[in-house]
Amino acid sequence: MIFNDIWDGETCDSSMDSGAETMVNTVALSKDILIPWEGEIICEHEILYPKELIITPKGEQVIDFGQEIMGYVEFEVNARQGYNLGTLGRN
């Protein structure tokens, strides 16, 4: 393993694998020692609106918010029930 992080995932290079087996010891511990996540309170900070709709050379649509964000996207679609959103913008 090259990199491992709870937020950014894991990067492995199997060509670096030595082939050695790793011993695993299972230990019986009480779950009473577990504590909830301790860290910053996560809350909405601001609402960002799109700055630009970019069409890539492959025809993909990218919404540019003008900065890197951490959050979620909320949008409304005016379409009939059962409409395949994957076909939007394609002929």
Side-chain angles (χ1 to χ4, degrees):
M1 180 175 339
I2 296 172
F3 177 81
N4 186 357
D5 182 78
I6 191 170
W7 291 280
D8 294 325
E10 182 176 282
T11 303
C12 295
D13 183 350
S14 57
S15 68
M16 297 175 62
D17 186 11
S18 66
E21 292 185 21
T22 304
M23 298 300 294
V24 176
N25 294 325
T26 303
V27 180
L29 294 174
S30 169
K31 292 185 175 81
D32 294 338
I33 64 171
L34 298 176
I35 59 171
W37 176 265
E38 293 181 347
E40 296 295 323
I41 296 173
I42 299 172
C43 60
E44 289 184 2
H45 179 64
E46 63 185 300
I47 296 175
L48 298 174
Y49 295 95
K51 303 288 185 194
E52 182 180 6
L53 176 64
I54 299 169
I55 307 296
T56 69
K58 289 173 61 177
E60 299 167 327
Q61 298 180 17
V62 177
I63 301 172
D64 182 3
F65 287 90
Q67 69 181 57
E68 292 185 25
I69 65 169
M70 175 63 146
Y72 58 91
V73 177
E74 181 178 271
F75 60 93
E76 293 181 17
V77 175
N78 185 9
R80 66 183 183 279
Q81 183 176 357
Y83 185 72
N84 181 357
L85 295 177
T87 62
L88 288 178
R90 298 182 185 160
N91 294 330

